[in-house]
Amino acid sequence: VSQRKNTKRVPSFHKLLRTSKIKLDNKLKNKQYKQQSAAKKYRKEQKRLRKAVRDAICRKPFPLEECEKKVAAKHEEEEEDALPLDMMDEDDLKLMEDLAQKASFLTRDLSSNEPVHVKKRKHESVIDKYEKVPRRMQAEPEKELIHLLPIKDKSGIIPQTVEKPGQTQILESRPSFLSHLVLDFSEEPLPVLTPEEMAAQRRQKLQERKVHIAALASAILSEPDNNIKKLKELRAMLMEQDPNVAVIVRKLVMVSLMEIFKDIVPSYKIRPLTEAEKATKVKKETQKLREFEEGLVSQYKFYLENLEQTIKDWKQRKLKKSNVISLKAYKGLAEIAVKCLCELLVALPHFNFHNNIIVLIVPLMNDASKKISELCFEAVKKLFKQDKLGYASLGVVKVISGLVKGRNYDVRPEVLKVFLHLRIKEVELQKDSEDIAPKKKFMTYKEKRKNLSRMQRKWKKAEEKLERELLEAEASESKEKKLKLHTETLNIVFVTYFRILKKAQKSPLLPAVLEGLAKFAHLINVEFFDDLLIVLHSLIASGSLSYRESLHCILSAFHILSGQGDVLNIDPMKFYTHLYKTLFSLHAGRTNDDIGIVLQCLDVMFAKRRKQVSQQRALAFLKRLSTLALHVLPNSTVGILATNRVLMQTFPKMDLLLDNESQGSGVYLPELDEPEHCNAQNTALWELHLLQRHYHPTVQIFASHLIAGAPTEGSAALALDLSQRPATELFEAYSMRGMTFNPPVASVTPRRKDTFLQMDSFLDEELKKQLQQHSSGTVVHKPLDFAKHLKESSLS
């Protein structure tokens, strides 16, 4: 028979080229689908077969009922009647007996639930056999047997047992829970520990955990590259489950991990590798470094997630299912977690996930817990103070601005007061001022060709390249980039301030806003000056501000006008009037500390704007400040007198107030709130004579100096340490916050003399003799007669 020829040919290469890629993909998918379906079908068949075998093995015969036993007994009797054993042959009988012994169903105990062919299974294990026996209920009473003497028979020893009478009735009459008690008493009770033993056991466990933490930490710090996996083991201890030591161990692990990360984190940010970088082959050292960096970043991320979850659990008062830690302990754990995050925020501003830490920390500045909010405040202040470039500051300011807007300005004032610690002294100027400024000329290509030789051009190019490399090696940023970051940061700060001034003028955030404007007002764009001055004046005129808020408004207005606003033709007479009215709101009580703001205002209003201030205004302020100096604390008095000295030296004809003669018409009106119209030239500085008798020595020196006309030379001139220091610095230097005097008060009590040096100083001659006798040792004791004078008087 001729075999059929296979007409199916292998496709040629050109045919494969003509075949579309989609068709080839479809063929491949069909082939894979067929293979999967065949494998699935085979698995189903195998599963069905195994199930059938398992069902056949595990099928158990039901125990026969009583009626079935009776029917079986009748059938046996009938069979015995039908075929008595006498009529059977001996061989047949023997065969039947052998078969009966082998028949497992007939010979086995019917009460047992053992499978029928259990002895035929060679591979049946003892455990499987035990597991297949159904379990009895605990409430089922166990029969108690009495063992009797055994009986010996031809077949062997037969044990004899009898059921204990009355046991079944007693057990049946008992409630079901007694059986549980019997079972419980049969088990060994747990050892009961005394409080001292429990405390000792807890100390031992805690010491073991501490040693383990210390060993892991020292191993990681000694070789971070090789032991990066131990970070995972240490981090796993954050889930400590022993309720006796869980809280302390978790706190210790949090702090230990924080210190480890601060030590082993590199001084650069680790970026994820690209697919091309992963595909390229690298050296073993490079591969090891990559693995270390990848493991470090992942473990750092998991650690931050654990800290975040701890804070969330405390916030939500969510109790874990394990109930290892109580709700009361959650606050302590959350405080440690916040402390760790604050440390990492300050210590690792350059590393990964720093923005995530900022997003966690900034909302906690507004937390109800005072301890947690203060921790976050201090951390953000430190970050601002040490952030020279401005990346981290910009991130924090963005989050604070979003928080204030999102909470609808319902935040604590301290959140905005953090802005005062920003390190911003310069920003990019406006484009107009840049256009006015002379531009730096750059040489064109033609000028370079004309003015420089080929060798000079070559050297210049090499120098520029070297400078760029040095900047990269030092990791220093250009000044332009720094200015750009500072400008963006300050823009966000001013947007936040202006929003509050516009929409929330009655909120408790207003003092913080005014204080911030007073600090950064010289950096505001000129475009906003007119609107801002109008808003500040309307706030003061409304009368809803406190004296301190008014002082901040005045300081902000004059900072604006003394900076870029000095070119504007604006006379802020209304702000001078506001300050003149506010001065008498201050006294020696709790308002004494606000004299510092007044001194700053006076410095900006008179020293920096002396050309725009009239003589009448300066005289009025000089008189009112001298009156204020009488009822404030000594440090404030020193600051005010230092300001008066500057006024007397800056403005001419201030010595009018040192003379009793009046100048011009009118009488001085001290209660009038208009400094220009109170006729201050017709009064005198009689307050200086009172201050000259002040208990503070520095106040006396200043008062005497001003009475003499504040000379710069001569015997009445001030010492250098007082004359060259500004008023605000003197106010802080002589402060009594620490309950100490500056200069210290000399002691007036003389030293105690233990010995009498001058014996002749005693005027009583009799006392001298007695002292000499006592010192020489020849003392004659005579009997004392108290009635001597009475006797003499009676005799006379």
Side-chain angles (χ1 to χ4, degrees):
V1 179
S2 63
Q3 193 175 1
R4 184 179 293 177
K5 190 176 180 182
N6 187 10
T7 56
K8 194 172 183 180
R9 294 181 184 178
V10 179
S12 64
F13 180 71
H14 293 286
K15 191 173 182 180
L16 282 172
L17 282 176
R18 286 196 302 271
T19 309
S20 66
K21 189 179 179 182
I22 299 169
K23 192 173 180 182
L24 290 172
D25 290 343
N26 289 340
K27 283 185 177 182
L28 182 63
K29 285 179 183 176
N30 289 337
K31 188 176 180 182
Q32 290 175 353
Y33 178 72
K34 284 180 182 178
Q35 289 176 354
Q36 288 174 2
S37 60
K40 194 174 181 182
K41 190 175 180 183
Y42 176 73
R43 285 198 300 271
K44 280 185 178 179
E45 288 177 357
Q46 291 294 322
K47 189 176 179 181
R48 217 178 288 121
L49 185 61
R50 284 196 299 270
K51 188 178 180 183
V53 171
R54 195 161 53 248
D55 288 345
I57 290 169
C58 296
R59 191 176 289 116
K60 301 169 186 176
F62 294 99
L64 298 175
E65 302 294 336
E66 293 297 328
C67 58
E68 291 179 355
K69 286 183 182 179
K70 291 177 183 178
V71 172
K74 284 182 182 179
H75 281 296
E76 285 174 7
E77 286 175 2
E78 287 174 2
E79 286 176 2
E80 284 176 4
D81 292 341
L83 187 64
L85 294 174
D86 295 338
M87 293 180 64
M88 295 177 70
D89 295 335
E90 290 181 6
D91 296 337
D92 295 336
L93 186 62
K94 190 176 181 182
L95 182 62
M96 287 292 289
E97 287 174 359
D98 293 341
L99 288 170
Q101 290 294 327
K102 290 180 182 179
S104 61
F105 181 77
L106 296 174
T107 55
R108 74 190 181 91
D109 186 8
L110 292 177
S111 63
S112 70
N113 292 322
E114 192 176 0
V116 181
H117 304 290
V118 68
K119 293 181 180 177
K120 294 183 180 180
R121 298 189 202 120
K122 295 181 180 179
H123 302 292
E124 187 75 30
S125 64
V126 179
I127 297 171
D128 294 341
K129 178 180 174 182
Y130 177 78
E131 286 294 324
K132 285 169 186 173
V133 176
R135 290 164 176 74
R136 294 180 181 180
M137 295 294 290
Q138 288 185 351
E140 185 180 346
E142 294 180 5
K143 294 179 180 180
E144 189 171 349
L145 302 175
I146 299 172
H147 294 278
L148 303 176
L149 290 172
I151 299 169
K152 190 171 183 181
D153 197 3
K154 291 180 181 180
S155 59
I157 296 170
I158 303 168
Q160 296 290 320
T161 55
V162 176
E163 186 178 346
K164 191 173 182 179
Q167 183 69 21
T168 54
Q169 289 82 3
I170 292 167
L171 286 171
E172 284 174 6
S173 64
R174 285 180 181 175
S176 61
F177 66 85
L178 285 177
S179 60
H180 293 285
L181 289 174
V182 171
L183 290 171
D184 290 339
F185 282 124
S186 64
E187 296 176 0
E188 292 184 3
L190 293 171
V192 179
L193 299 175
T194 61
E196 292 80 6
E197 290 173 348
M198 289 174 70
Q201 189 180 14
R202 182 177 178 274
R203 282 196 297 270
Q204 184 183 356
K205 285 181 182 178
L206 196 57
Q207 187 62 28
E208 289 174 2
R209 302 291 196 284
K210 284 181 180 179
V211 170
H212 188 48
I213 292 168
L216 288 172
S218 58
I220 295 164
L221 291 174
S222 60
E223 288 182 312
D225 299 348
N226 300 328
N227 296 325
I228 195 68
K229 291 183 179 178
K230 291 191 177 180
L231 269 176
K232 186 177 181 181
E233 187 179 346
L234 185 58
R235 196 172 51 78
M237 293 182 73
L238 284 171
M239 298 295 114
E240 176 66 43
Q241 296 300 316
D242 192 342
N244 292 328
V245 294
V247 178
I248 297 178
V249 169
R250 292 187 186 190
K251 288 181 180 178
L252 290 172
V253 174
M254 280 181 193
V255 178
S256 303
L257 281 168
M258 180 261 293
E259 294 294 340
I260 288 168
F261 281 120
K262 281 168 64 176
D263 286 341
I264 67 173
V265 158
S267 60
Y268 54 88
K269 189 174 181 179
I270 298 170
R271 63 172 180 82
L273 297 172
T274 60
E275 294 297 329
E277 287 174 338
K278 288 179 182 177
T280 55
K281 290 184 178 180
V282 293
K283 294 180 181 179
K284 287 184 179 178
E285 292 82 3
T286 311
Q287 185 63 30
K288 188 177 179 182
L289 180 62
R290 283 183 178 180
E291 289 175 0
F292 165 71
E293 289 177 347
E294 189 178 349
L296 180 64
V297 170
S298 64
Q299 291 303 319
Y300 188 56
K301 180 186 174 185
F302 290 139
Y303 171 61
L304 294 178
E305 286 175 353
N306 287 335
L307 295 180
E308 182 186 8
Q309 191 60 44
T310 304
I311 297 168
K312 279 184 179 177
D313 290 345
W314 169 64
K315 283 283 186 187
Q316 298 169 359
R317 304 293 190 271
K318 191 196 297 183
L319 193 63
K320 296 291 183 184
K321 292 179 182 177
S322 58
N323 293 333
V324 174
I325 295 176
S326 64
L327 279 171
K328 290 181 181 179
Y330 272 30
K331 187 178 181 182
L333 281 172
E335 285 175 358
I336 298 295
V338 170
K339 192 174 182 180
C340 293
L341 284 170
C342 291
E343 289 280 340
L344 294 172
L345 178 78
V346 178
L348 306 176
H350 61 279
F351 197 58
N352 302 48
F353 310 115
H354 191 256
N355 288 334
N356 302 68
I357 299 175
I358 290 172
V359 172
L360 276 174
I361 289 295
V362 168
L364 292 174
M365 292 165 65
N366 195 41
D367 195 77
S369 173
K370 189 176 180 183
K371 187 174 181 181
I372 287 178
S373 61
E374 284 180 355
L375 279 172
C376 298
F377 284 138
E378 292 302 320
V380 174
K381 286 176 188 176
K382 284 181 186 176
L383 183 67
F384 282 165
K385 286 178 181 178
Q386 73 179 24
D387 187 22
K388 294 180 181 178
L389 186 60
Y391 277 116
S393 300
L394 179 60
V396 174
V397 167
K398 281 182 179 177
V399 178
I400 290 175
S401 178
L403 178 73
V404 172
K405 188 180 178 183
R407 296 275 177 92
N408 198 16
Y409 314 107
D410 185 18
V411 295
R412 297 172 67 180
E414 287 81 1
V415 176
L416 287 182
K417 284 185 179 179
V418 175
F419 288 158
L420 299 174
H421 299 274
L422 284 166
R423 291 183 58 173
I424 298 176
K425 294 180 180 177
E426 291 180 300
V427 292
E428 288 180 345
L429 297 173
Q430 208 177 9
K431 290 183 179 179
D432 299 337
S433 57
E434 288 178 0
D435 295 338
I436 294 166
K439 294 183 179 179
K440 189 179 178 182
K441 291 182 179 181
F442 294 98
M443 294 177 74
T444 60
Y445 179 70
K446 286 183 180 180
E447 288 174 345
K448 283 182 183 178
R449 294 273 302 198
K450 185 179 179 181
N451 297 331
L452 301 175
S453 65
R454 185 179 176 184
M455 188 59 69
Q456 286 174 334
R457 290 198 303 271
K458 193 174 180 181
W459 275 105
K460 194 163 187 177
K461 192 175 180 181
E463 283 177 2
E464 289 174 359
K465 186 180 178 182
L466 184 61
E467 284 178 6
R468 283 197 301 270
E469 288 176 356
L470 285 171
L471 282 173
E472 289 174 3
E474 292 174 2
S476 60
E477 298 289 340
S478 62
K479 191 178 179 182
E480 290 79 10
K481 198 167 188 177
K482 186 178 177 181
L483 282 175
K484 192 176 181 181
L485 284 169
H486 284 185
T487 307
E488 190 179 351
T489 304
L490 206 60
N491 284 342
I492 297 169
V493 171
F494 283 140
V495 164
T496 309
Y497 284 164
F498 294 160
R499 274 185 194 149
I500 295 168
L501 283 175
K502 187 178 179 182
K503 298 181 180 179
Q505 290 186 358
K506 294 184 179 179
S507 76
L509 298 177
L510 192 61
V513 171
L514 296 172
E515 197 174 348
L517 283 174
K519 181 172 183 180
F520 300 117
H522 63 287
L523 301 172
I524 301 174
N525 288 336
V526 183
E527 301 170 358
F528 303 114
F529 280 3
D530 289 336
D531 296 333
L532 198 54
L533 287 172
I534 291 167
V535 169
L536 292 174
H537 175 61
S538 64
L539 282 172
I540 298 173
S542 65
S544 59
L545 298 184
S546 66
Y547 75 94
R548 185 183 294 179
E549 293 168 7
S550 302
L551 290 175
H552 282 305
C553 277
I554 296 162
L555 188 59
S556 303
F558 280 99
H559 270 303
I560 290 168
L561 294 172
S562 63
Q564 301 175 55
D566 57 354
V567 296
L568 300 175
N569 190 15
I570 298 173
D571 183 20
M573 179 58 198
K574 47 199 170 185
F575 290 105
Y576 281 98
T577 308
H578 289 318
L579 181 63
Y580 192 74
K581 285 193 292 187
T582 312
L583 283 177
F584 282 159
S585 301
L586 304 166
H587 50 76
R590 60 185 179 86
T591 63
N592 184 77
D593 289 339
D594 297 322
I595 298 284
I597 308 171
V598 172
L599 297 176
Q600 291 178 40
C601 292
L602 293 168
D603 180 52
V604 181
M605 292 163 72
F606 290 98
K608 294 181 181 178
R609 293 178 58 85
R610 54 183 174 271
K611 292 181 180 178
Q612 287 91 353
V613 179
S614 65
Q615 183 182 347
Q616 290 291 330
R617 202 181 301 175
L619 286 168
F621 269 94
L622 182 61
K623 174 63 180 175
R624 183 158 281 205
L625 285 171
S626 300
T627 309
L628 177 64
L630 291 173
H631 54 272
V632 288
L633 292 182
N635 62 326
S636 301
T637 306
V638 171
I640 289 169
L641 293 178
T643 305
N644 285 353
R645 175 178 176 270
V646 173
L647 286 172
M648 292 178 74
Q649 290 178 347
T650 304
F651 295 93
K653 299 182 180 179
M654 287 291 108
D655 54 353
L656 293 174
L657 300 180
L658 300 175
D659 195 358
N660 287 333
E661 294 181 4
S662 60
Q663 298 287 328
S665 62
V667 179
Y668 174 60
L669 303 172
E671 72 280 359
L672 192 68
D673 290 332
E674 292 293 334
E676 296 281 352
H677 308 292
C678 66
N679 299 323
Q681 71 276 4
N682 293 329
T683 185
L685 295 179
W686 52 266
E687 295 90 355
L688 294 177
H689 292 279
L690 294 175
L691 291 170
Q692 204 172 7
R693 295 190 292 274
H694 199 276
Y695 68 88
H696 201 279
T698 311
V699 175
Q700 295 174 12
I701 292 168
F702 263 102
S704 303
H705 173 69
L706 292 178
I707 286 173
T712 55
E713 293 178 354
S715 60
L718 283 179
L720 288 176
D721 61 331
L722 295 176
S723 61
Q724 293 186 353
R725 295 165 79 181
T728 51
E729 189 178 333
L730 289 168
F731 171 74
E732 292 294 332
Y734 289 96
S735 175
M736 292 189 294
R737 287 175 192 165
M739 300 302 291
T740 56
F741 284 101
N742 183 19
V745 179
S747 177
V748 293
T749 54
R751 287 188 175 182
R752 185 179 173 185
K753 296 182 180 180
D754 297 331
T755 57
F756 295 103
L757 299 177
Q758 295 181 355
M759 298 296 292
D760 297 334
S761 62
F762 295 105
L763 300 176
D764 195 353
E765 294 292 333
E766 201 173 328
L767 183 61
K768 263 187 205 179
K769 289 176 184 177
Q770 287 182 7
L771 284 171
Q772 286 172 0
Q773 287 174 2
H774 275 282
S775 59
S776 61
T778 58
V779 181
V780 179
H781 293 285
K782 296 179 181 179
L784 297 173
D785 190 2
F786 295 102
K788 180 181 177 182
H789 297 287
L790 295 173
K791 290 174 184 176
E792 289 176 354
S793 61
S794 62
L795 289 171
S796 60

